[in-house]
Amino acid sequence: MAKNYTITFVSLGCPKNTVDSEAMLAGLAERGFILDSSSENTDFYLVNTCGFIEPAKEEAIEELRRGIQLKKEGKVRFVAAAGCLVERMGRELADALPQIDCLISLCERDKAAEILLKTAKSKGSRKIETASGNKFVSNDSVRLLTTSPGSAYLRISEGCGRGCSFCTIPAIRGPFRSKPKDEIIREAEMLCESGTREVNLIAQDTTGYGKDFGLEEGLCELLEELVKTDLDWIRILYLYPASVSERLLDTIASHKKIVNYIDMPIQHIDNELLKSMRRTDSQEQTASLIEKIRAKLDEPVIRTTVISGYPGETAEKHKRLLEFVKWAEFDALGAFAFCPEKDTPAGKMDGQISEEVKNRRVDEIMRAQQEIAFGKNRNMLGKKLTLLTEGFCEDYTQARYYGQAPEIDSVCALPGEQIEPGKFVKAEVAETSDYDLICRLV
């Protein structure tokens, strides 16, 4: 019986992968698998991989090699790979790491337990079906949540149709497909019943929701339904800047449940590079949008990401981005060195930039952002906040206010407090610690 099998499960990558991992864990638990985090004398070592860019690919392969080493030492019987890297590399991954016993593509996510059982029975099965991975939108209603109590991710679509020149997502996850609205609402209601207070809407492009159904403002229509549930906080991640409409901002402004947190990766600000990236926004449009956000929303928190060292980025274009970052004063920003992925148009372009120059430019941007972030934190002193608690960390309770997204942003600390996770509390910012806020209950 499957109940005799133990499994060590490693989840890598973005929140979309987290949801896939949670769905797989639920399916494994239903079939009697026992989760074992020790990696000692485990039947299966399963890695749900990320394959978005080269560093993620390297991390996934390193984790798989760790499982293979444990297998050689007799501590693991079978090593399995699932997720994006399987979808991206296919049989190439099996050839590169022949000690892997089992490959589970994205479309086989809900068959993970069945595939592992067959692997155990046949002592190694390498079935893979990546071709059908672009034809479905996963139902994520049955999940074993791994996020902090009170908070969960809610996927609203799959794939992407933007075609950015640097991005591998369409090749991995397929074309853009929206999840039916009724299904999303049911998932949200089930999360509420399980004690979830906050949902974070995720997709490759949340602003595209419903467009494949013929809905111009599908995300707004979805939000209008979600606010009717018992959720307390609704956060929208991965907004495409050029598609952030007046109606969307008005919808956010008109509902307290939708937190004033705008996560929109701008990638760059130089118009020539944006065109090369196959982005549909411009410096002028983005600057206008930032001003509009701050005019329409009450104390909005704006987060973004930028790519440094894209092919053809001259010193002048880098300076333009750096100056824009200083002007915009984003609340949070991540800068990433461009990765030339071989199966993307940008990976084959002329004008590739050295790693040394890319890393130096990333450092310059992040130093500028650090000064901005630390200044914003100092301005938070004495401010009263509503916090969602996440758990205990040594001698304090970790929590977040609406301006901090789970896992990617800074946190709030409540020293000397032991408050169970998933609770809302009132607090005041007493001091700062780099990017984090030190608070006291009020």
Side-chain angles (χ1 to χ4, degrees), residues 6-42:
T6 54
I7 184 166
T8 296
F9 195 108
V10 180
S11 183
L12 304 176
C14 69
K16 278 84 72 179
N17 241 30
T18 297
V19 172
D20 284 335
S21 293
E22 292 173 343
M24 278 193 279
L25 285 168
L28 291 165
E30 285 180 346
R31 296 295 294 270
F33 283 78
I34 301 169
L35 188 62
D36 183 355
S37 60
S38 68
S39 302
E40 298 285 337
N41 301 316
T42 303

PDB file of all heavy atoms in Angstrom, residues 6-42:
ATOM      1  N   THR A   6       7.436   6.818   2.060  1.00  0.00           N
ATOM      2  CA  THR A   6       7.759   8.144   2.583  1.00  0.00           C
ATOM      3  C   THR A   6       8.345   8.980   1.453  1.00  0.00           C
ATOM      4  O   THR A   6       8.923   8.448   0.497  1.00  0.00           O
ATOM      5  CB  THR A   6       8.774   8.055   3.727  1.00  0.00           C
ATOM      6  OG1 THR A   6       9.922   7.329   3.284  1.00  0.00           O
ATOM      7  CG2 THR A   6       8.167   7.363   4.941  1.00  0.00           C
ATOM      8  N   ILE A   7       8.209  10.295   1.574  1.00  0.00           N
ATOM      9  CA  ILE A   7       8.675  11.174   0.511  1.00  0.00           C
ATOM     10  C   ILE A   7       9.247  12.465   1.087  1.00  0.00           C
ATOM     11  O   ILE A   7       8.666  13.074   1.994  1.00  0.00           O
ATOM     12  CB  ILE A   7       7.537  11.484  -0.493  1.00  0.00           C
ATOM     13  CG1 ILE A   7       8.062  12.335  -1.660  1.00  0.00           C
ATOM     14  CG2 ILE A   7       6.346  12.136   0.185  1.00  0.00           C
ATOM     15  CD1 ILE A   7       7.098  12.399  -2.834  1.00  0.00           C
ATOM     16  N   THR A   8      10.403  12.854   0.589  1.00  0.00           N
ATOM     17  CA  THR A   8      10.970  14.177   0.867  1.00  0.00           C
ATOM     18  C   THR A   8      10.642  15.045  -0.332  1.00  0.00           C
ATOM     19  O   THR A   8      10.975  14.699  -1.473  1.00  0.00           O
ATOM     20  CB  THR A   8      12.492  14.100   1.056  1.00  0.00           C
ATOM     21  OG1 THR A   8      12.778  13.313   2.213  1.00  0.00           O
ATOM     22  CG2 THR A   8      13.081  15.485   1.250  1.00  0.00           C
ATOM     23  N   PHE A   9       9.970  16.170  -0.085  1.00  0.00           N
ATOM     24  CA  PHE A   9       9.459  17.021  -1.167  1.00  0.00           C
ATOM     25  C   PHE A   9      10.179  18.364  -1.103  1.00  0.00           C
ATOM     26  O   PHE A   9      10.142  19.056  -0.096  1.00  0.00           O
ATOM     27  CB  PHE A   9       7.947  17.216  -1.011  1.00  0.00           C
ATOM     28  CG  PHE A   9       7.262  17.752  -2.239  1.00  0.00           C
ATOM     29  CD1 PHE A   9       6.450  16.935  -2.994  1.00  0.00           C
ATOM     30  CD2 PHE A   9       7.425  19.078  -2.635  1.00  0.00           C
ATOM     31  CE1 PHE A   9       5.808  17.421  -4.127  1.00  0.00           C
ATOM     32  CE2 PHE A   9       6.803  19.571  -3.763  1.00  0.00           C
ATOM     33  CZ  PHE A   9       5.989  18.737  -4.516  1.00  0.00           C
ATOM     34  N   VAL A  10      10.829  18.738  -2.202  1.00  0.00           N
ATOM     35  CA  VAL A  10      11.536  20.021  -2.285  1.00  0.00           C
ATOM     36  C   VAL A  10      10.849  20.877  -3.342  1.00  0.00           C
ATOM     37  O   VAL A  10      10.727  20.464  -4.501  1.00  0.00           O
ATOM     38  CB  VAL A  10      13.017  19.827  -2.656  1.00  0.00           C
ATOM     39  CG1 VAL A  10      13.732  21.179  -2.746  1.00  0.00           C
ATOM     40  CG2 VAL A  10      13.705  18.917  -1.658  1.00  0.00           C
ATOM     41  N   SER A  11      10.398  22.065  -2.948  1.00  0.00           N
ATOM     42  CA  SER A  11       9.700  22.970  -3.877  1.00  0.00           C
ATOM     43  C   SER A  11      10.578  24.175  -4.158  1.00  0.00           C
ATOM     44  O   SER A  11      10.985  24.896  -3.249  1.00  0.00           O
ATOM     45  CB  SER A  11       8.363  23.416  -3.282  1.00  0.00           C
ATOM     46  OG  SER A  11       7.660  24.242  -4.201  1.00  0.00           O
ATOM     47  N   LEU A  12      10.863  24.415  -5.428  1.00  0.00           N
ATOM     48  CA  LEU A  12      11.685  25.550  -5.845  1.00  0.00           C
ATOM     49  C   LEU A  12      10.853  26.518  -6.689  1.00  0.00           C
ATOM     50  O   LEU A  12       9.807  26.158  -7.209  1.00  0.00           O
ATOM     51  CB  LEU A  12      12.879  25.056  -6.669  1.00  0.00           C
ATOM     52  CG  LEU A  12      13.793  24.015  -6.010  1.00  0.00           C
ATOM     53  CD1 LEU A  12      14.863  23.555  -7.010  1.00  0.00           C
ATOM     54  CD2 LEU A  12      14.444  24.580  -4.758  1.00  0.00           C
ATOM     55  N   GLY A  13      11.362  27.752  -6.819  1.00  0.00           N
ATOM     56  CA  GLY A  13      10.748  28.675  -7.762  1.00  0.00           C
ATOM     57  C   GLY A  13       9.699  29.593  -7.183  1.00  0.00           C
ATOM     58  O   GLY A  13       9.643  29.848  -5.983  1.00  0.00           O
ATOM     59  N   CYS A  14       8.827  30.064  -8.052  1.00  0.00           N
ATOM     60  CA  CYS A  14       7.884  31.142  -7.774  1.00  0.00           C
ATOM     61  C   CYS A  14       6.607  30.644  -7.095  1.00  0.00           C
ATOM     62  O   CYS A  14       6.405  29.439  -6.922  1.00  0.00           O
ATOM     63  CB  CYS A  14       7.535  31.842  -9.079  1.00  0.00           C
ATOM     64  SG  CYS A  14       6.539  30.802 -10.186  1.00  0.00           S
ATOM     65  N   PRO A  15       5.715  31.569  -6.708  1.00  0.00           N
ATOM     66  CA  PRO A  15       4.448  31.164  -6.088  1.00  0.00           C
ATOM     67  C   PRO A  15       3.585  30.251  -6.956  1.00  0.00           C
ATOM     68  O   PRO A  15       2.822  29.436  -6.431  1.00  0.00           O
ATOM     69  CB  PRO A  15       3.749  32.500  -5.838  1.00  0.00           C
ATOM     70  CG  PRO A  15       4.866  33.470  -5.627  1.00  0.00           C
ATOM     71  CD  PRO A  15       5.930  33.030  -6.596  1.00  0.00           C
ATOM     72  N   LYS A  16       3.691  30.383  -8.297  1.00  0.00           N
ATOM     73  CA  LYS A  16       2.934  29.468  -9.151  1.00  0.00           C
ATOM     74  C   LYS A  16       3.397  28.033  -8.923  1.00  0.00           C
ATOM     75  O   LYS A  16       2.599  27.103  -8.882  1.00  0.00           O
ATOM     76  CB  LYS A  16       3.106  29.844 -10.631  1.00  0.00           C
ATOM     77  CG  LYS A  16       2.216  30.969 -11.106  1.00  0.00           C
ATOM     78  CD  LYS A  16       2.770  32.336 -10.821  1.00  0.00           C
ATOM     79  CE  LYS A  16       3.936  32.683 -11.694  1.00  0.00           C
ATOM     80  NZ  LYS A  16       4.479  34.047 -11.445  1.00  0.00           N
ATOM     81  N   ASN A  17       4.700  27.871  -8.753  1.00  0.00           N
ATOM     82  CA  ASN A  17       5.243  26.550  -8.443  1.00  0.00           C
ATOM     83  C   ASN A  17       4.815  26.093  -7.054  1.00  0.00           C
ATOM     84  O   ASN A  17       4.599  24.900  -6.815  1.00  0.00           O
ATOM     85  CB  ASN A  17       6.775  26.578  -8.537  1.00  0.00           C
ATOM     86  CG  ASN A  17       7.306  25.620  -9.581  1.00  0.00           C
ATOM     87  OD1 ASN A  17       6.646  25.349 -10.566  1.00  0.00           O
ATOM     88  ND2 ASN A  17       8.498  25.109  -9.365  1.00  0.00           N
ATOM     89  N   THR A  18       4.721  27.041  -6.120  1.00  0.00           N
ATOM     90  CA  THR A  18       4.264  26.697  -4.768  1.00  0.00           C
ATOM     91  C   THR A  18       2.874  26.085  -4.816  1.00  0.00           C
ATOM     92  O   THR A  18       2.607  25.073  -4.151  1.00  0.00           O
ATOM     93  CB  THR A  18       4.255  27.950  -3.871  1.00  0.00           C
ATOM     94  OG1 THR A  18       5.587  28.449  -3.751  1.00  0.00           O
ATOM     95  CG2 THR A  18       3.702  27.627  -2.491  1.00  0.00           C
ATOM     96  N   VAL A  19       1.990  26.673  -5.613  1.00  0.00           N
ATOM     97  CA  VAL A  19       0.625  26.140  -5.737  1.00  0.00           C
ATOM     98  C   VAL A  19       0.661  24.739  -6.332  1.00  0.00           C
ATOM     99  O   VAL A  19      -0.058  23.834  -5.876  1.00  0.00           O
ATOM    100  CB  VAL A  19      -0.252  27.083  -6.582  1.00  0.00           C
ATOM    101  CG1 VAL A  19      -1.605  26.440  -6.891  1.00  0.00           C
ATOM    102  CG2 VAL A  19      -0.465  28.411  -5.854  1.00  0.00           C
ATOM    103  N   ASP A  20       1.484  24.528  -7.360  1.00  0.00           N
ATOM    104  CA  ASP A  20       1.614  23.188  -7.938  1.00  0.00           C
ATOM    105  C   ASP A  20       2.122  22.193  -6.894  1.00  0.00           C
ATOM    106  O   ASP A  20       1.658  21.053  -6.823  1.00  0.00           O
ATOM    107  CB  ASP A  20       2.570  23.215  -9.133  1.00  0.00           C
ATOM    108  CG  ASP A  20       1.938  23.812 -10.379  1.00  0.00           C
ATOM    109  OD1 ASP A  20       0.705  23.769 -10.497  1.00  0.00           O
ATOM    110  OD2 ASP A  20       2.687  24.323 -11.227  1.00  0.00           O
ATOM    111  N   SER A  21       3.089  22.638  -6.083  1.00  0.00           N
ATOM    112  CA  SER A  21       3.620  21.758  -5.034  1.00  0.00           C
ATOM    113  C   SER A  21       2.536  21.408  -4.030  1.00  0.00           C
ATOM    114  O   SER A  21       2.418  20.246  -3.602  1.00  0.00           O
ATOM    115  CB  SER A  21       4.794  22.446  -4.317  1.00  0.00           C
ATOM    116  OG  SER A  21       5.900  22.601  -5.181  1.00  0.00           O
ATOM    117  N   GLU A  22       1.740  22.389  -3.638  1.00  0.00           N
ATOM    118  CA  GLU A  22       0.666  22.149  -2.665  1.00  0.00           C
ATOM    119  C   GLU A  22      -0.364  21.173  -3.209  1.00  0.00           C
ATOM    120  O   GLU A  22      -0.876  20.323  -2.470  1.00  0.00           O
ATOM    121  CB  GLU A  22       0.019  23.478  -2.288  1.00  0.00           C
ATOM    122  CG  GLU A  22       0.941  24.386  -1.481  1.00  0.00           C
ATOM    123  CD  GLU A  22       0.376  25.767  -1.242  1.00  0.00           C
ATOM    124  OE1 GLU A  22      -0.577  26.171  -1.954  1.00  0.00           O
ATOM    125  OE2 GLU A  22       0.873  26.469  -0.342  1.00  0.00           O
ATOM    126  N   ALA A  23      -0.665  21.290  -4.510  1.00  0.00           N
ATOM    127  CA  ALA A  23      -1.617  20.361  -5.124  1.00  0.00           C
ATOM    128  C   ALA A  23      -1.034  18.943  -5.172  1.00  0.00           C
ATOM    129  O   ALA A  23      -1.734  17.958  -4.899  1.00  0.00           O
ATOM    130  CB  ALA A  23      -1.984  20.844  -6.524  1.00  0.00           C
ATOM    131  N   MET A  24       0.247  18.841  -5.506  1.00  0.00           N
ATOM    132  CA  MET A  24       0.889  17.520  -5.527  1.00  0.00           C
ATOM    133  C   MET A  24       0.941  16.905  -4.133  1.00  0.00           C
ATOM    134  O   MET A  24       0.684  15.709  -3.958  1.00  0.00           O
ATOM    135  CB  MET A  24       2.302  17.630  -6.109  1.00  0.00           C
ATOM    136  CG  MET A  24       2.337  17.637  -7.617  1.00  0.00           C
ATOM    137  SD  MET A  24       4.006  17.387  -8.291  1.00  0.00           S
ATOM    138  CE  MET A  24       4.659  19.027  -8.151  1.00  0.00           C
ATOM    139  N   LEU A  25       1.271  17.718  -3.142  1.00  0.00           N
ATOM    140  CA  LEU A  25       1.322  17.221  -1.767  1.00  0.00           C
ATOM    141  C   LEU A  25      -0.033  16.686  -1.323  1.00  0.00           C
ATOM    142  O   LEU A  25      -0.117  15.650  -0.648  1.00  0.00           O
ATOM    143  CB  LEU A  25       1.790  18.332  -0.831  1.00  0.00           C
ATOM    144  CG  LEU A  25       3.292  18.656  -0.883  1.00  0.00           C
ATOM    145  CD1 LEU A  25       3.578  19.957  -0.143  1.00  0.00           C
ATOM    146  CD2 LEU A  25       4.114  17.524  -0.285  1.00  0.00           C
ATOM    147  N   ALA A  26      -1.098  17.392  -1.689  1.00  0.00           N
ATOM    148  CA  ALA A  26      -2.439  16.927  -1.329  1.00  0.00           C
ATOM    149  C   ALA A  26      -2.744  15.585  -1.984  1.00  0.00           C
ATOM    150  O   ALA A  26      -3.278  14.666  -1.350  1.00  0.00           O
ATOM    151  CB  ALA A  26      -3.485  17.968  -1.738  1.00  0.00           C
ATOM    152  N   GLY A  27      -2.384  15.474  -3.272  1.00  0.00           N
ATOM    153  CA  GLY A  27      -2.613  14.214  -3.973  1.00  0.00           C
ATOM    154  C   GLY A  27      -1.798  13.069  -3.390  1.00  0.00           C
ATOM    155  O   GLY A  27      -2.288  11.941  -3.273  1.00  0.00           O
ATOM    156  N   LEU A  28      -0.576  13.359  -3.009  1.00  0.00           N
ATOM    157  CA  LEU A  28       0.272  12.332  -2.398  1.00  0.00           C
ATOM    158  C   LEU A  28      -0.280  11.895  -1.043  1.00  0.00           C
ATOM    159  O   LEU A  28      -0.298  10.705  -0.713  1.00  0.00           O
ATOM    160  CB  LEU A  28       1.698  12.867  -2.238  1.00  0.00           C
ATOM    161  CG  LEU A  28       2.473  13.080  -3.544  1.00  0.00           C
ATOM    162  CD1 LEU A  28       3.709  13.939  -3.302  1.00  0.00           C
ATOM    163  CD2 LEU A  28       2.867  11.742  -4.157  1.00  0.00           C
ATOM    164  N   ALA A  29      -0.740  12.878  -0.260  1.00  0.00           N
ATOM    165  CA  ALA A  29      -1.311  12.554   1.057  1.00  0.00           C
ATOM    166  C   ALA A  29      -2.564  11.692   0.910  1.00  0.00           C
ATOM    167  O   ALA A  29      -2.778  10.747   1.686  1.00  0.00           O
ATOM    168  CB  ALA A  29      -1.633  13.839   1.813  1.00  0.00           C
ATOM    169  N   GLU A  30      -3.380  11.990  -0.094  1.00  0.00           N
ATOM    170  CA  GLU A  30      -4.605  11.215  -0.323  1.00  0.00           C
ATOM    171  C   GLU A  30      -4.294   9.759  -0.660  1.00  0.00           C
ATOM    172  O   GLU A  30      -5.075   8.866  -0.354  1.00  0.00           O
ATOM    173  CB  GLU A  30      -5.421  11.847  -1.458  1.00  0.00           C
ATOM    174  CG  GLU A  30      -6.142  13.130  -1.060  1.00  0.00           C
ATOM    175  CD  GLU A  30      -6.943  13.716  -2.196  1.00  0.00           C
ATOM    176  OE1 GLU A  30      -6.739  13.282  -3.365  1.00  0.00           O
ATOM    177  OE2 GLU A  30      -7.770  14.606  -1.941  1.00  0.00           O
ATOM    178  N   ARG A  31      -3.135   9.541  -1.289  1.00  0.00           N
ATOM    179  CA  ARG A  31      -2.749   8.179  -1.660  1.00  0.00           C
ATOM    180  C   ARG A  31      -1.899   7.516  -0.580  1.00  0.00           C
ATOM    181  O   ARG A  31      -1.353   6.436  -0.793  1.00  0.00           O
ATOM    182  CB  ARG A  31      -1.990   8.193  -2.990  1.00  0.00           C
ATOM    183  CG  ARG A  31      -2.818   8.655  -4.179  1.00  0.00           C
ATOM    184  CD  ARG A  31      -3.966   7.700  -4.495  1.00  0.00           C
ATOM    185  NE  ARG A  31      -3.496   6.397  -4.950  1.00  0.00           N
ATOM    186  CZ  ARG A  31      -3.273   6.095  -6.231  1.00  0.00           C
ATOM    187  NH1 ARG A  31      -3.470   7.003  -7.178  1.00  0.00           N
ATOM    188  NH2 ARG A  31      -2.865   4.891  -6.572  1.00  0.00           N
ATOM    189  N   GLY A  32      -1.768   8.166   0.576  1.00  0.00           N
ATOM    190  CA  GLY A  32      -1.117   7.535   1.707  1.00  0.00           C
ATOM    191  C   GLY A  32       0.368   7.790   1.857  1.00  0.00           C
ATOM    192  O   GLY A  32       1.009   7.219   2.737  1.00  0.00           O
ATOM    193  N   PHE A  33       0.940   8.643   1.020  1.00  0.00           N
ATOM    194  CA  PHE A  33       2.362   8.955   1.163  1.00  0.00           C
ATOM    195  C   PHE A  33       2.589   9.741   2.460  1.00  0.00           C
ATOM    196  O   PHE A  33       1.764  10.562   2.859  1.00  0.00           O
ATOM    197  CB  PHE A  33       2.857   9.785  -0.024  1.00  0.00           C
ATOM    198  CG  PHE A  33       3.090   8.989  -1.273  1.00  0.00           C
ATOM    199  CD1 PHE A  33       2.022   8.587  -2.073  1.00  0.00           C
ATOM    200  CD2 PHE A  33       4.375   8.626  -1.665  1.00  0.00           C
ATOM    201  CE1 PHE A  33       2.217   7.864  -3.229  1.00  0.00           C
ATOM    202  CE2 PHE A  33       4.588   7.899  -2.820  1.00  0.00           C
ATOM    203  CZ  PHE A  33       3.511   7.508  -3.608  1.00  0.00           C
ATOM    204  N   ILE A  34       3.722   9.513   3.086  1.00  0.00           N
ATOM    205  CA  ILE A  34       4.065  10.185   4.344  1.00  0.00           C
ATOM    206  C   ILE A  34       5.193  11.169   4.075  1.00  0.00           C
ATOM    207  O   ILE A  34       6.264  10.784   3.597  1.00  0.00           O
ATOM    208  CB  ILE A  34       4.494   9.158   5.416  1.00  0.00           C
ATOM    209  CG1 ILE A  34       3.361   8.167   5.675  1.00  0.00           C
ATOM    210  CG2 ILE A  34       4.906   9.866   6.705  1.00  0.00           C
ATOM    211  CD1 ILE A  34       3.781   6.979   6.514  1.00  0.00           C
ATOM    212  N   LEU A  35       4.960  12.428   4.372  1.00  0.00           N
ATOM    213  CA  LEU A  35       5.963  13.457   4.138  1.00  0.00           C
ATOM    214  C   LEU A  35       7.073  13.340   5.177  1.00  0.00           C
ATOM    215  O   LEU A  35       6.819  13.297   6.381  1.00  0.00           O
ATOM    216  CB  LEU A  35       5.314  14.842   4.208  1.00  0.00           C
ATOM    217  CG  LEU A  35       6.188  16.032   3.791  1.00  0.00           C
ATOM    218  CD1 LEU A  35       6.609  15.896   2.334  1.00  0.00           C
ATOM    219  CD2 LEU A  35       5.441  17.332   4.015  1.00  0.00           C
ATOM    220  N   ASP A  36       8.315  13.321   4.697  1.00  0.00           N
ATOM    221  CA  ASP A  36       9.477  13.171   5.572  1.00  0.00           C
ATOM    222  C   ASP A  36      10.514  14.224   5.186  1.00  0.00           C
ATOM    223  O   ASP A  36      11.073  14.190   4.088  1.00  0.00           O
ATOM    224  CB  ASP A  36      10.073  11.767   5.419  1.00  0.00           C
ATOM    225  CG  ASP A  36      11.247  11.505   6.356  1.00  0.00           C
ATOM    226  OD1 ASP A  36      11.656  12.444   7.051  1.00  0.00           O
ATOM    227  OD2 ASP A  36      11.747  10.373   6.367  1.00  0.00           O
ATOM    228  N   SER A  37      10.764  15.172   6.060  1.00  0.00           N
ATOM    229  CA  SER A  37      11.691  16.264   5.751  1.00  0.00           C
ATOM    230  C   SER A  37      13.134  15.923   6.074  1.00  0.00           C
ATOM    231  O   SER A  37      14.044  16.704   5.801  1.00  0.00           O
ATOM    232  CB  SER A  37      11.283  17.525   6.526  1.00  0.00           C
ATOM    233  OG  SER A  37      11.318  17.269   7.926  1.00  0.00           O
ATOM    234  N   SER A  38      13.387  14.756   6.630  1.00  0.00           N
ATOM    235  CA  SER A  38      14.737  14.439   7.100  1.00  0.00           C
ATOM    236  C   SER A  38      15.681  13.984   5.989  1.00  0.00           C
ATOM    237  O   SER A  38      16.893  14.080   6.117  1.00  0.00           O
ATOM    238  CB  SER A  38      14.668  13.345   8.165  1.00  0.00           C
ATOM    239  OG  SER A  38      14.258  12.115   7.577  1.00  0.00           O
ATOM    240  N   SER A  39      15.145  13.488   4.890  1.00  0.00           N
ATOM    241  CA  SER A  39      15.943  12.933   3.785  1.00  0.00           C
ATOM    242  C   SER A  39      16.769  11.723   4.216  1.00  0.00           C
ATOM    243  O   SER A  39      17.745  11.351   3.559  1.00  0.00           O
ATOM    244  CB  SER A  39      16.888  14.001   3.186  1.00  0.00           C
ATOM    245  OG  SER A  39      16.164  15.100   2.740  1.00  0.00           O
ATOM    246  N   GLU A  40      16.411  11.102   5.321  1.00  0.00           N
ATOM    247  CA  GLU A  40      17.119   9.918   5.809  1.00  0.00           C
ATOM    248  C   GLU A  40      16.187   8.704   5.686  1.00  0.00           C
ATOM    249  O   GLU A  40      15.105   8.684   6.259  1.00  0.00           O
ATOM    250  CB  GLU A  40      17.526  10.099   7.272  1.00  0.00           C
ATOM    251  CG  GLU A  40      18.489  11.255   7.503  1.00  0.00           C
ATOM    252  CD  GLU A  40      19.903  10.932   7.035  1.00  0.00           C
ATOM    253  OE1 GLU A  40      20.239   9.742   6.957  1.00  0.00           O
ATOM    254  OE2 GLU A  40      20.663  11.879   6.750  1.00  0.00           O
ATOM    255  N   ASN A  41      16.622   7.721   4.912  1.00  0.00           N
ATOM    256  CA  ASN A  41      15.822   6.504   4.727  1.00  0.00           C
ATOM    257  C   ASN A  41      14.431   6.828   4.173  1.00  0.00           C
ATOM    258  O   ASN A  41      13.419   6.373   4.685  1.00  0.00           O
ATOM    259  CB  ASN A  41      15.723   5.739   6.051  1.00  0.00           C
ATOM    260  CG  ASN A  41      17.087   5.356   6.588  1.00  0.00           C
ATOM    261  OD1 ASN A  41      17.944   4.891   5.849  1.00  0.00           O
ATOM    262  ND2 ASN A  41      17.288   5.564   7.884  1.00  0.00           N
ATOM    263  N   THR A  42      14.424   7.630   3.110  1.00  0.00           N
ATOM    264  CA  THR A  42      13.182   8.045   2.463  1.00  0.00           C
ATOM    265  C   THR A  42      13.007   7.272   1.166  1.00  0.00           C
ATOM    266  O   THR A  42      13.976   7.015   0.456  1.00  0.00           O
ATOM    267  CB  THR A  42      13.220   9.558   2.161  1.00  0.00           C
ATOM    268  OG1 THR A  42      13.450  10.266   3.375  1.00  0.00           O
ATOM    269  CG2 THR A  42      11.921  10.024   1.542  1.00  0.00           C
TER     270      THR A  42
END
